[in-house]
């Protein structure tokens, strides 16, 4: 018997995740929750969801940040959103050099104090 077996990947937008600072955009942004599912397929039909991966994606610059199981659960709890925002900040800054980090943090402080004075 001939069986056509394979893998299919798809991505679904799950909705708004949280709102917090994006160091690539250098301003506060809404982040979207996306889920990538890898399916086992038979005859090109998605049959068994094999692997699910959650991401948050900046709504403006589209930077995706992958979440592990613990962080994924935090998406469902509004109380954990500041913890999640802290994780995103640490993740984005971990890819920068010390000089870039200092610049980005100083820039954020400046922008936020300007916004506070304007309000
Ligand atoms: Zn961004």
């Amino acid at each position: 018997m001939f069986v056509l077996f394979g893998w299919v990947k798809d991505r679904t937008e799950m909705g708004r995740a949280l709102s917090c600072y994006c160091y690539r955009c250098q301003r506060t942004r809404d982040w979207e929750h996306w889920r990538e599912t890898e399916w086992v397929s038979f005859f090109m039909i998605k049959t068994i969801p094999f692997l699910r991966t959650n991401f948050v994606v900046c709504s403006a610059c589209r930077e995706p940040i992958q979440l592990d199981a613990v962080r994924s659960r935090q998406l469902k709890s509004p109380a954990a959103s500041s913890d999640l925002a802290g994780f995103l900040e640490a993740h984005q800054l971990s890819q920068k050099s010390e000089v870039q980090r200092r610049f980005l943090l100083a820039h954020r402080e400046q922008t936020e104090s300007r916004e506070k004075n304007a309000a």
Side-chain angles (χ1 to χ4, degrees):
M1 198 184 115
F2 171 75
V3 178
L4 189 60
F5 161 86
W7 296 95
V8 183
K9 236 187 220 188
D10 67 18
R11 293 196 176 111
T12 317
E13 187 179 351
M14 307 297 289
R16 186 179 164 281
L18 73 162
S19 180
C20 72
Y21 198 80
C22 172
Y23 282 92
R24 196 195 262 181
C25 295
Q26 299 189 23
R27 65 184 63 212
T28 301
R29 295 290 194 198
D30 280 335
W31 293 73
E32 299 158 1
H33 174 204
W34 283 77
R35 177 174 288 161
E36 185 178 85
T37 310
E38 276 186 64
W39 298 82
V40 177
S41 70
F42 292 97
F43 299 101
M44 308 303 283
I45 296 166
K46 292 186 266 188
T47 313
I48 306 163
F50 183 71
L51 194 68
R52 286 209 168 104
T53 316
N54 290 296
F55 293 86
V56 288
V57 179
C58 173
S59 61
C61 71
R62 310 308 298 168
E63 177 168 10
I65 297 177
Q66 192 177 329
L67 304 176
D68 61 19
V70 174
R71 299 291 173 197
S72 299
R73 274 195 294 277
Q74 289 181 332
L75 285 170
K76 289 176 205 134
S77 138
S81 84
S82 70
D83 200 33
L84 195 56
F87 164 76
L88 297 183
E89 174 174 335
H91 178 89
Q92 285 194 308
L93 292 177
S94 71
Q95 301 164 329
K96 308 291 180 198
S97 73
E98 189 51 45
V99 175
Q100 289 172 316
R101 252 196 300 275
R102 244 180 286 144
F103 170 80
L104 288 168
L105 288 167
H107 185 273
R108 177 180 182 175
E109 210 169 285
Q110 232 174 38
T111 313
E112 288 181 344
S113 73
R114 211 180 302 138
E115 281 166 5
K116 225 175 278 163
N117 291 338

